Amino acid sequence: MSSIDKIDKWGLNYIRKTRFYLKISAILPIYTIIIGIINLGFLIYLYTISTESHKVIPIHGIIVFICFISILLISLLQFLFLRKWNLKIKVYNKMIKIEKNDNSNVLDENINKNIKMDEMSLTDIFYEVINHMEKIRKLFIILNIFSAIYIFYNSLMFVRLFIFIKKAFILIFQTIRYLNLSVAIVLIIYLIYMWHHYIKWNKKLKKLKNYEIMISQELNL
Amino acid sequence: MVKKNYRTSNMIIQNILEGILRENKKNPVIQKGIKKSHLIVYCKLKTITAEKYLIKMTNAGYIRLFEETWGERIIKIYDITKLGRERYEWFVKINAEVG
């Protein structure tokens, strides 16, 4: 196996791992959008039918809503970046396939022409994700703060609303309570998963920084 | 500021190393190295910037320069050295292994 084949293999293995991460990253935004719409409908309905809920809903509701939107935006941003990155990887994969075809003299000129236009290197792909890691690391701290507030107020609000629900004892209210509980659980799982990545990214960025310093010293930059 | 400079320089260096490796892969039997002009196009660099890095990389022993005659013209060709190959493999390994 040639050096570049080995490098391509490592690169593609990494890309495969990141694709799984992309799928996981899609779960939270999709899930929170669905639950958010249900919640909004539920809160408006509750507000209209119960005067007691007027004391609880505005303050807690606004806090939960702000946190909810922030979490949604950050997770959506993360997902959209990975999606964009994934599309570039598809082009890179095609490029590698064409290189293989070049070697075995099986060449489709039309495909080759299209790919040459968007030619990109493994270095570009790696550096794009590295730059993203550095940005998302800062956003991740904000995500944690919003998530903590969200989980706390969401639980508090629905414990308090339980009083009204008990009075009304309607099945739909119970279902919504559990759906909201599930958002908190999904959010906690998502955060654990993100923390796991955060630690790994920190290690990688540290190694990369040392590597970059070493190269700069060797080249006398 | 310093960190950003490291980043930009390293991106260029890794792209140059990858460009040579890819060109070598295209025709491993006949071809050894890549023409300077092709390498500059591959890395999407300005000639003056590319030359600065190519000189530094040659001096550091990452790449080597040799000349070939093509009719009346002399073509400059760059090839990767063992050290350059090791450095690029190292870069990919850091990226591929963790996270």
Side-chain angles (χ1 to χ4, degrees):
Chain A
M1 188 186 277
S2 77
S3 184
I4 195 76
D5 282 334
K6 199 162 65 180
I7 286 164
D8 279 341
K9 199 184 156 200
W10 286 339
L12 291 173
N13 276 345
Y14 170 70
I15 285 161
R16 222 166 285 139
K17 273 191 250 169
T18 315
R19 276 199 177 148
F20 176 72
Y21 179 46
L22 168 74
K23 284 171 195 160
I24 296 288
S25 302
I27 293 171
L28 187 72
I30 293 167
Y31 197 67
T32 42
I33 287 170
I34 296 164
I35 303 295
I37 292 164
I38 297 169
N39 261 343
L40 204 66
F42 163 70
L43 289 175
I44 292 165
Y45 178 63
L46 198 65
Y47 196 79
T48 51
I49 61 154
S50 163
T51 47
E52 286 165 293
S53 68
H54 289 195
K55 297 167 202 164
V56 181
I57 290 171
I59 313 146
H60 288 180
I62 287 166
I63 294 169
V64 169
F65 185 72
I66 290 168
C67 292
F68 171 80
I69 292 292
S70 310
I71 294 163
L72 179 67
L73 286 177
I74 295 170
S75 54
L76 207 60
L77 196 78
Q78 167 82 338
F79 171 69
L80 289 176
F81 167 79
L82 287 169
R83 177 85 194 112
K84 198 178 135 204
W85 193 67
N86 198 34
L87 291 174
K88 286 189 178 178
I89 285 164
K90 276 184 187 166
V91 177
Y92 174 75
N93 275 339
K94 277 184 193 169
M95 223 177 75
I96 289 179
K97 273 180 198 164
I98 283 176
E99 271 182 11
K100 278 182 186 166
N101 284 345
D102 265 339
N103 288 344
S104 58
N105 295 324
V106 186
L107 183 68
D108 184 336
E109 276 185 17
N110 288 331
I111 300 171
N112 197 31
K113 210 189 281 174
N114 290 337
I115 297 304
K116 287 280 181 220
M117 284 166 69
D118 303 312
E119 201 165 276
M120 64 182 67
S121 64
L122 190 62
T123 308
D124 291 337
I125 290 176
F126 278 147
Y127 267 111
E128 199 162 316
V129 85
I130 289 161
N131 289 334
H132 169 73
M133 277 176 195
E134 287 184 335
K135 281 178 204 153
I136 209 78
R137 274 198 319 169
K138 288 164 197 157
L139 282 176
F140 183 61
I141 297 162
I142 303 168
L143 178 77
N144 273 281
I145 297 165
F146 278 127
S147 300
I149 301 168
Y150 178 81
I151 291 164
F152 176 73
Y153 273 97
N154 198 29
S155 320
L156 197 70
M157 188 167 81
F158 283 92
V159 165
R160 290 182 73 176
L161 286 177
F162 183 62
I163 303 157
F164 312 121
I165 292 161
K166 233 180 174 180
K167 280 178 189 169
F169 204 72
I170 300 168
L171 188 68
I172 197 161
F173 284 179
Q174 290 286 9
T175 314
I176 284 161
R177 272 188 72 238
Y178 286 114
L179 277 177
N180 273 284
L181 188 72
S182 71
V183 172
I185 294 164
V186 169
L187 191 60
I188 290 166
I189 294 167
Y190 181 80
L191 285 178
I192 292 168
Y193 188 75
M194 284 292 281
W195 265 106
H196 173 66
H197 268 268
Y198 185 79
I199 293 162
K200 281 209 277 187
W201 284 0
N202 270 347
K203 271 188 201 166
K204 180 191 262 188
L205 292 173
K206 204 177 164 188
K207 272 190 179 181
L208 194 74
K209 196 181 162 193
N210 291 335
Y211 173 82
E212 284 175 344
I213 291 169
M214 186 197 76
I215 296 282
S216 300
Q217 282 169 349
E218 281 184 353
L219 264 73
N220 210 9
L221 290 172
Chain B
M1 190 70 189
V2 175
K3 188 183 164 193
K4 213 65 193 168
N5 280 340
Y6 277 151
R7 179 63 40 87
T8 318
S9 302
N10 268 283
M11 254 185 100
I12 296 171
I13 293 158
Q14 304 311 327
N15 261 322
I16 290 172
L17 294 174
E18 190 183 341
I20 302 173
L21 281 169
R22 291 220 171 272
E23 194 65 26
N24 281 347
K25 193 197 169 188
K26 277 184 191 167
N27 209 335
V29 184
I30 308 164
Q31 207 162 346
K32 205 86 185 118
I34 180 172
K35 283 179 196 161
K36 186 183 165 185
S37 55
H38 288 190
L39 187 59
I40 292 171
V41 171
Y42 178 87
C43 299
K44 302 173 196 106
L45 290 172
K46 284 180 185 170
T47 312
I48 198 157
T49 316
E51 274 172 352
K52 181 188 133 190
Y53 282 96
L54 289 171
I55 292 167
K56 281 186 183 287
M57 286 170 79
T58 312
N59 290 341
Y62 285 19
I63 53 175
R64 66 185 183 93
L65 170 69
F66 58 95
E67 289 175 346
E68 267 181 16
T69 48
W70 196 64
E72 288 179 2
R73 286 175 61 200
I74 293 170
I75 304 166
K76 286 185 176 180
I77 294 173
Y78 281 97
D79 194 16
I80 196 162
T81 62
K82 196 178 169 240
L83 180 68
R85 199 180 294 260
E86 272 174 18
R87 291 293 179 262
Y88 188 71
E89 279 185 12
W90 200 347
F91 168 73
V92 178
K93 222 173 180 180
I94 290 172
N95 279 286
E97 273 184 359
V98 195

